[in-house]
Amino acid sequence: MTPIASTFVAGPDGVWRIEVVEPVTGASLPAAPRLSVLAGHVVQPASALWAVRGSTGHQRYTRRDEAAALRAVQAGLDRPAATWASLIPIQKSAAWWELAQDERRAIFEETSHHIGASLRFLPAIARRLYHGRELGEPFDFLTWFEYAPEHAAAFDELLAVLRASEEWLFVTREVHVRLARQ
Amino acid sequence: MTPIASTFVAGPDGVWRIEVVEPVTGASLPAAPRLSVLAGHVVQPASALWAVRGSTGHQRYTRRDEAAALRAVQAGLDRPAATWASLIPIQKSAAWWELAQDERRAIFEETSHHIGASLRFLPAIARRLYHGRELGEPFDFLTWFEYAPEHAAAFDELLAVLRASEEWLFVTREVHVRLARQ
């Protein structure tokens, strides 16, 4: 479980076509034709319109029983049928980061059911969470989702459930980059 | 509480004189005359013998009541009398990082009393914890301690308490860099 470091580069190249960049909360990111996912934390190429970076890491809130439940149903990335994807960069407020661990856990799961509510969307929706805050990045989290086009409605429902949660009251910036593999 | 990014550079320069580099567990770091603490994550200068990087961040295990207890007694860095310091880079095992949050919390505090046992050494010992794992650094944690010379015995007792804990069974590499401000 060594952390995976990635840089998401929007510009002229990349296997992912950017369908739309939707501003959800706060400042958006510039529109761009394509997205590439590069290994490591790399400097933004001269041809790029923007680049965001993150690292995977250990799970911050998940209990052993929840981790086992997730592992039993979740799917990996790069499934041939999962030709649609989303990159959702998120920033949370200073108030969130000043909460203690038990307070953040209570909002994350006991109140907002982030894990529990997400479970019924697995394995249709595959996910990978990257952390950016301690890298000095503008976004605290980058979540990468992959799914088959027939699960698009389920994916949008998952987003609606999360965005209606108490946890999302702490989200100060959110951008939704919808993608298709081509 | 924006994360503080620092690079600790060992070489010919710096306000801290390196008294000794003690290998505790695993590979040590090379001996060097002085240490400087630079803002940001910077590339190792040509004159340096080694450099390690970290970022502060939100507290991973501390409950609200524990955070309040710590805040009530802890001291800040840069006290004029605190002319002795230690930089302790630590790496934990893959087994640690694969544990769920509740399992890590239980070892950290319920079994090892990391917070509770440290409290009685405050405010004599001031500390700052940096995270390095998701930066791609060789050390998962860098802890920086500052104290007055008359508290040296208390500091060594704090280290002995932590190193005797169950949590420390997961430490695969630890180096102790003892420093004096000059």
Side-chain angles (χ1 to χ4, degrees):
Chain A
M1 282 230 317
T2 303
I4 299 167
S6 298
T7 305
F8 298 85
V9 178
D13 309 309
V15 299
W16 294 97
R17 186 180 68 221
I18 297 181
E19 302 290 347
V20 61
V21 177
E22 297 174 0
V24 181
T25 302
S28 191
L29 287 166
R34 304 195 78 86
L35 186 93
S36 55
V37 186
L38 306 183
H41 297 145
V42 302
V43 172
Q44 182 175 321
S47 64
L49 289 150
W50 49 266
V52 290
R53 296 163 197 81
S55 292
T56 64
H58 65 288
Q59 291 180 306
R60 308 291 209 255
Y61 302 108
T62 315
R63 289 194 316 245
R64 169 58 51 193
D65 60 320
E66 295 162 342
L70 287 167
R71 208 161 24 229
V73 291
Q74 70 197 356
L77 300 181
D78 294 320
R79 293 170 296 177
T83 56
W84 285 18
S86 283
L87 173 68
I88 305 191
I90 279 179
Q91 185 186 54
K92 281 183 175 170
S93 67
W96 172 262
W97 295 112
E98 283 160 16
L99 292 175
Q101 175 69 19
D102 56 333
E103 295 171 315
R104 279 182 277 103
R105 161 72 200 192
I107 294 167
F108 180 84
E109 188 58 22
E110 275 65 57
T111 309
S112 302
H113 310 292
H114 191 128
I115 300 166
S118 301
L119 262 175
R120 69 185 167 97
F121 299 98
L122 308 183
I125 317 293
R127 307 164 304 164
R128 177 177 283 167
L129 177 66
Y130 295 84
H131 301 268
R133 184 166 185 261
E134 294 174 10
L135 305 179
E137 283 288 303
F139 293 102
D140 298 333
F141 304 97
L142 308 172
T143 310
W144 178 263
F145 299 91
E146 288 180 8
Y147 52 96
E150 64 261 36
H151 293 128
F155 177 66
D156 285 349
E157 188 188 342
L158 168 61
L159 293 187
V161 166
L162 289 173
R163 287 176 183 158
S165 70
E166 186 186 345
E167 184 192 351
W168 246 250
L169 297 175
F170 294 89
V171 172
T172 50
R173 188 178 179 196
E174 179 175 4
V175 182
H176 186 172
V177 183
R178 290 188 187 263
L179 306 149
R181 185 155 51 196
Q182 261 208 333
Chain B
M1 286 232 312
T2 303
I4 298 167
S6 298
T7 305
F8 298 85
V9 178
D13 309 311
V15 298
W16 295 96
R17 186 181 67 224
I18 297 180
E19 302 291 348
V20 61
V21 176
E22 299 174 0
V24 181
T25 303
S28 192
L29 288 165
R34 304 194 77 87
L35 185 93
S36 56
V37 186
L38 306 183
H41 297 146
V42 303
V43 172
Q44 182 175 322
S47 64
L49 289 150
W50 50 266
V52 291
R53 295 161 196 83
S55 292
T56 65
H58 66 288
Q59 292 180 305
R60 308 292 209 253
Y61 301 108
T62 315
R63 290 193 317 244
R64 169 56 53 194
D65 59 322
E66 294 162 342
L70 287 167
R71 208 160 25 230
V73 290
Q74 70 196 358
L77 300 182
D78 294 319
R79 293 171 296 177
T83 56
W84 286 18
S86 283
L87 173 68
I88 305 191
I90 279 179
Q91 185 185 56
K92 282 183 175 170
S93 67
W96 173 262
W97 295 112
E98 283 160 14
L99 292 175
Q101 175 67 20
D102 56 333
E103 295 172 314
R104 278 182 278 104
R105 160 74 199 190
I107 294 165
F108 179 84
E109 188 58 23
E110 276 65 57
T111 309
S112 303
H113 311 293
H114 191 129
I115 300 166
S118 301
L119 262 176
R120 70 185 167 97
F121 298 98
L122 308 184
I125 316 294
R127 307 164 305 165
R128 178 178 282 166
L129 177 66
Y130 295 85
H131 301 268
R133 185 166 186 260
E134 294 175 9
L135 305 179
E137 283 287 303
F139 292 102
D140 298 334
F141 305 97
L142 308 173
T143 309
W144 178 262
F145 300 90
E146 287 179 10
Y147 54 96
E150 65 260 37
H151 294 127
F155 177 66
D156 285 350
E157 188 187 342
L158 168 61
L159 294 188
V161 167
L162 290 172
R163 288 176 183 158
S165 69
E166 187 186 344
E167 183 192 352
W168 246 250
L169 296 175
F170 294 90
V171 171
T172 50
R173 188 179 179 197
E174 178 174 4
V175 183
H176 187 173
V177 184
R178 291 188 187 262
L179 306 150
R181 184 156 52 197
Q182 263 208 331

Short mmCIF file of all heavy atoms in Angstrom, two decimals, chain B residues 8 11 14 41 69 89 100 112 116 122 126 136 138 147 179:
data_model
loop_
_atom_site.label_atom_id
_atom_site.label_comp_id
_atom_site.label_asym_id
_atom_site.label_seq_id
_atom_site.Cartn_x
_atom_site.Cartn_y
_atom_site.Cartn_z
N PHE B 8 14.40 19.84 6.18
CA PHE B 8 15.49 19.81 7.16
C PHE B 8 16.76 19.41 6.41
O PHE B 8 16.84 18.29 5.89
CB PHE B 8 15.18 18.81 8.28
CG PHE B 8 13.94 19.18 9.05
CD1 PHE B 8 12.68 18.81 8.60
CD2 PHE B 8 14.04 19.93 10.23
CE1 PHE B 8 11.53 19.17 9.32
CE2 PHE B 8 12.90 20.29 10.94
CZ PHE B 8 11.64 19.91 10.48
N GLY B 11 24.16 19.78 6.67
CA GLY B 11 25.32 20.13 5.86
C GLY B 11 26.21 21.11 6.60
O GLY B 11 26.23 21.12 7.83
N GLY B 14 23.66 26.29 9.09
CA GLY B 14 22.42 26.16 9.84
C GLY B 14 22.60 26.62 11.27
O GLY B 14 23.70 26.54 11.82
N HIS B 41 9.11 22.69 0.50
CA HIS B 41 9.76 21.43 0.13
C HIS B 41 10.76 21.78 -0.96
O HIS B 41 10.40 21.99 -2.11
CB HIS B 41 8.73 20.43 -0.38
CG HIS B 41 7.73 20.04 0.68
ND1 HIS B 41 6.43 19.77 0.41
CD2 HIS B 41 7.88 19.91 2.02
CE1 HIS B 41 5.79 19.48 1.55
NE2 HIS B 41 6.65 19.56 2.53
N ALA B 69 -7.02 19.15 26.24
CA ALA B 69 -6.05 18.91 27.31
C ALA B 69 -4.64 19.27 26.84
O ALA B 69 -3.85 19.87 27.58
CB ALA B 69 -6.11 17.45 27.76
N PRO B 89 13.29 11.33 12.67
CA PRO B 89 12.58 10.76 11.52
C PRO B 89 12.21 9.29 11.80
O PRO B 89 13.03 8.53 12.33
CB PRO B 89 13.60 10.85 10.38
CG PRO B 89 14.67 11.80 10.87
CD PRO B 89 14.70 11.59 12.36
N ALA B 100 -6.96 -0.55 9.94
CA ALA B 100 -8.08 0.38 9.84
C ALA B 100 -7.90 1.48 10.89
O ALA B 100 -7.09 1.37 11.81
CB ALA B 100 -9.39 -0.35 10.03
N SER B 112 -1.11 2.17 23.85
CA SER B 112 0.23 2.78 23.98
C SER B 112 0.21 4.12 24.71
O SER B 112 1.27 4.63 25.08
CB SER B 112 0.85 2.97 22.60
OG SER B 112 0.92 1.73 21.91
N GLY B 116 -1.70 10.40 26.29
CA GLY B 116 -1.76 10.46 27.75
C GLY B 116 -0.39 10.44 28.40
O GLY B 116 -0.11 11.21 29.32
N LEU B 122 4.74 17.95 29.08
CA LEU B 122 4.42 19.29 28.59
C LEU B 122 4.25 20.20 29.80
O LEU B 122 3.82 19.75 30.84
CB LEU B 122 3.12 19.26 27.77
CG LEU B 122 3.04 18.23 26.65
CD1 LEU B 122 1.75 18.39 25.87
CD2 LEU B 122 4.23 18.34 25.72
N ALA B 126 8.52 20.98 23.85
CA ALA B 126 7.65 21.47 22.77
C ALA B 126 7.86 20.59 21.54
O ALA B 126 8.99 20.14 21.28
CB ALA B 126 7.98 22.92 22.44
N GLY B 136 6.06 11.13 -0.70
CA GLY B 136 7.04 10.26 -1.34
C GLY B 136 8.38 10.26 -0.63
O GLY B 136 9.39 9.80 -1.17
N PRO B 138 11.25 9.21 2.34
CA PRO B 138 11.59 7.92 2.95
C PRO B 138 11.04 7.77 4.38
O PRO B 138 10.86 6.65 4.85
CB PRO B 138 13.12 7.92 2.96
CG PRO B 138 13.52 9.36 2.81
CD PRO B 138 12.42 10.03 2.04
N TYR B 147 13.61 21.91 23.82
CA TYR B 147 13.53 21.93 25.28
C TYR B 147 14.80 22.59 25.84
O TYR B 147 15.82 22.68 25.15
CB TYR B 147 13.36 20.52 25.84
CG TYR B 147 14.39 19.53 25.38
CD1 TYR B 147 15.52 19.25 26.14
CD2 TYR B 147 14.24 18.87 24.16
CE1 TYR B 147 16.49 18.35 25.70
CE2 TYR B 147 15.20 17.98 23.71
CZ TYR B 147 16.31 17.72 24.48
OH TYR B 147 17.26 16.84 24.03
N LEU B 179 20.47 18.02 18.65
CA LEU B 179 20.88 19.34 18.17
C LEU B 179 21.00 20.34 19.30
O LEU B 179 20.33 20.22 20.33
CB LEU B 179 19.81 19.88 17.20
CG LEU B 179 19.46 18.95 16.02
CD1 LEU B 179 18.02 19.16 15.59
CD2 LEU B 179 20.40 19.19 14.86
#
